[in-house]
Amino acid sequence: LISGLMASTTIAAGAADMTVGFSQIGSESGWRAAETSLTKSQAEERGIDLKFADAQQKQENQIKAVRSFIAQGVDAILIAPVVATGWEGVLEEAKDAEIPVVLLDRQIDAPEDLYLTAVTSDQVHEGKVAGEWLVKDVGDAECNVVELQGTTGSSPAINRKQGFEEAIAGHDNIKIIRSQTGDFTRTKGKEVMESFIKAEDGGKNICALYAHNDDMAVGAIQAIKEAGLKPGTDIKVVSIDAVPDIFQAMAAGEANATVELTPNMAGPAFDALEKYKADGTEPPKWIQTESKLYTQADDPMKVYEEKKGLGY
Ligand code: AHR
């Protein structure tokens, strides 16, 4: 009992002593705003001094923030990397300064020894779950899909595209007829959907929208309505994140399915850092979060109420 108590005291002391820098991408989506608020509240609960930097969607700002965290001598750094490439240099600098780095919600193309762990979903799987839902829903009917991609060069945009394509491969009745980035935002999601509708006979040639996040889907739903069509019926809507607003849209019959991504990436990240700081325990290189499918059959308003309390 005594040694158990001592162990937990050591871990708690490690957490309370920690100063952690967090380079966040920005606030392009409801999901990202929730991730930020949960990271701040998780840090507060654990007595971690969190230094927060909003990069306004720019990798160069993230690199500057990480350099400034290194100069301040923080104990650890969290990075939600806006794009997948271009991280080696600054991660080498963190490694030289012996500051562990944890990646949040997006992966990078860099050697694994440059970071302690990555807390992310399996983004290829998320795309697959979305695609498999559509395959099942349309059956043998012909279905032209338009796709709203996330930020160009980001791991979720690359992987969610790949997963969806894998799911529909071999189903020749389902075709992606247009695909463009909407940068994970509602505004661009709406704009790009308007252009898809215009180009596809006022939307009559479109059977389904696949959006790499819910915010773009919500913007697109507005565009579909403004074009005089019924989202969820005339054009099926499947997306990823499970933010509260998509459940409202599902309850109204205007969205069909979403794949959940937890905004609580910081919880597992801080757990891993606390253990690492306490006794050097190395976490696995990938801490994978779950990806659950929700449809209109899942009592969307109940889920909406539950979600509202969870950082949103
Ligand atoms: O990296 C996770 C993605 O980034 C979320 O799906 C999206 O909403 C966010 O901006």
Side-chain angles (χ1 to χ4, degrees):
L1 175 68
I2 291 172
S3 64
L5 274 177
M6 282 175 67
S8 61
T9 311
T10 314
I11 290 169
D17 287 347
M18 263 203 288
T19 297
V20 177
F22 176 26
S23 169
Q24 177 58 294
I25 293 169
S27 56
E28 72 280 1
S29 65
W31 183 90
R32 180 124 346 251
E35 185 192 49
T36 296
S37 104
L38 280 170
T39 307
K40 288 180 178 172
S41 59
Q42 282 280 338
E44 207 180 318
E45 275 168 32
R46 293 164 190 254
I48 292 170
D49 177 13
L50 188 77
K51 299 194 178 300
F52 179 79
D54 177 334
Q56 317 243 319
Q57 315 300 126
K58 290 197 174 76
Q59 185 183 33
E60 65 199 73
N61 291 343
Q62 293 204 282
I63 291 173
K64 268 188 215 151
V66 173
R67 288 204 169 118
S68 144
F69 295 146
I70 296 170
Q72 292 171 64
V74 297
D75 298 300
I77 297 173
L78 306 179
I79 308 175
V82 61
V83 289
T85 56
W87 293 101
E88 282 92 336
V90 76
L91 291 182
E92 294 277 5
E93 291 168 36
K95 195 179 174 193
D96 290 347
E98 295 180 8
I99 300 175
V101 170
V102 176
L103 305 175
L104 289 194
D105 78 81
R106 295 186 184 184
Q107 292 118 7
I108 57 171
D109 296 334
E112 283 188 350
D113 67 313
L114 293 180
Y115 56 90
L116 182 69
T117 184
V119 184
T120 78
S121 57
D122 180 339
Q123 296 160 341
V124 175
H125 178 66
E126 288 169 334
K128 247 187 211 160
V129 172
E132 281 163 3
W133 174 82
L134 188 70
V135 165
K136 203 166 160 208
D137 192 73
V138 300
D140 292 335
E142 292 291 314
C143 185
N144 287 338
V145 181
V146 294
E147 178 183 33
L148 285 169
Q149 296 179 35
T151 301
T152 306
S154 69
S155 71
I158 297 163
N159 295 331
R160 289 172 183 173
K161 180 168 187 48
Q162 182 192 325
F164 187 87
E165 285 172 356
E166 283 174 14
I168 64 167
H171 299 274
D172 296 342
N173 55 318
I174 303 176
K175 284 184 196 72
I176 299 177
I177 55 166
R178 289 185 186 269
S179 181
Q180 206 177 305
T181 181
D183 216 4
F184 282 129
T185 70
R186 272 180 207 216
T187 317
K188 288 206 184 131
K190 180 168 187 273
E191 257 170 49
V192 178
M193 190 67 197
E194 281 165 357
S195 73
F196 287 162
I197 290 170
K198 220 176 185 179
E200 294 298 338
D201 196 14
K204 291 190 200 79
N205 200 26
I206 303 171
C207 147
L209 161 71
Y210 166 47
H212 290 188
N213 80 347
D214 290 342
D215 276 70
M216 293 189 292
V218 169
I221 286 169
Q222 191 56 35
I224 297 168
K225 290 205 268 194
E226 286 173 15
L229 296 168
K230 283 200 181 116
T233 312
D234 295 329
I235 298 181
K236 296 172 198 294
V237 178
V238 54
S239 50
I240 295 169
D241 274 359
V243 302
D245 287 359
I246 206 73
F247 289 100
Q248 276 190 312
M250 275 201 245
E254 294 177 347
N256 304 82
T258 186
V259 185
E260 185 176 41
L261 176 69
T262 175
N264 185 16
M265 300 279 160
F270 288 145
D271 286 346
L273 279 170
E274 284 168 2
K275 283 200 192 106
Y276 182 69
K277 288 281 169 191
D279 61 10
T281 305
E282 291 263 353
K285 276 291 160 190
W286 184 20
I287 299 174
Q288 191 187 334
T289 63
E290 280 178 48
S291 310
K292 184 179 166 196
L293 177 75
Y294 285 92
T295 67
Q296 289 177 357
D298 291 309
D299 196 350
M301 278 322 283
K302 188 167 166 250
V303 187
Y304 169 80
E305 292 301 338
E306 291 164 1
K307 286 268 168 192
K308 285 297 271 183
L310 299 173
Y312 290 103

